[in-house]
Amino acid sequence: MSKTSKPKSKPAGKTSRQETSSTDAALPSPDRLLEMAYGEADRRILDDYADTIRVLRDDKRFTFREIAQWLKQKGVQTDHNSVYRAYRKHLPPEAAEKLDQEMALNDNEQKG
């Protein structure tokens, strides 16, 4: 290497085994995380229940939290945010925008 050339640096995020810290030993193994990832519920599964969510919301006047709880009781693992997104996804654009505005107003009212 000449005096004018710089040594090549390692790409960002790449470290050698000697440069890893002792905290790396506490990290889960990549294989374990992969196994856990495969075990996670498919978030798109709510698309299969779009009609059910619509009936509970529009016809029965359930809140998104109540719909999530109802689905959980039937064995569908979800939360109110996922239910909201699934419901909104199947609305026409104008209705989705109106829903967003209503939800924002409700949030502001609850916050005081």
Side-chain angles (χ1 to χ4, degrees):
M1 179 181 338
S2 70
K3 291 183 180 183
T4 58
S5 66
K6 292 183 179 180
K8 292 183 180 180
S9 62
K10 294 180 184 171
K14 301 282 185 183
T15 59
S16 72
R17 290 271 179 211
Q18 296 161 343
E19 294 174 0
T20 59
S21 69
S22 61
T23 59
D24 289 339
L27 295 174
S29 75
D31 291 338
R32 176 69 180 130
L33 288 182
L34 180 59
E35 178 183 327
M36 292 169 68
Y38 279 120
E40 283 294 319
D42 185 354
R43 293 186 184 268
R44 289 172 283 184
I45 198 166
L46 287 183
D47 286 346
D48 295 339
Y49 300 103
D51 291 335
T52 302
I53 293 168
R54 185 192 51 75
V55 166
L56 292 172
R57 178 70 181 173
D58 297 345
D59 299 349
K60 305 298 181 180
R61 309 307 297 163
F62 278 37
T63 66
F64 293 112
R65 288 181 191 274
E66 291 168 335
I67 295 169
Q69 185 62 37
W70 189 90
L71 289 169
K72 283 181 188 178
Q73 291 170 349
K74 309 303 185 246
V76 179
Q77 291 304 310
T78 191
D79 62 40
H80 67 282
N81 291 314
S82 297
V83 170
Y84 172 80
R85 287 189 302 271
Y87 177 80
R88 186 186 186 287
K89 179 179 178 180
H90 296 279
L91 292 175
E94 311 82 42
E97 187 174 319
K98 183 179 176 184
L99 176 66
D100 290 342
Q101 291 169 354
E102 290 172 8
M103 297 306 291
L105 285 174
N106 287 341
D107 284 347
N108 288 337
E109 287 174 5
Q110 288 178 1
K111 291 179 184 176

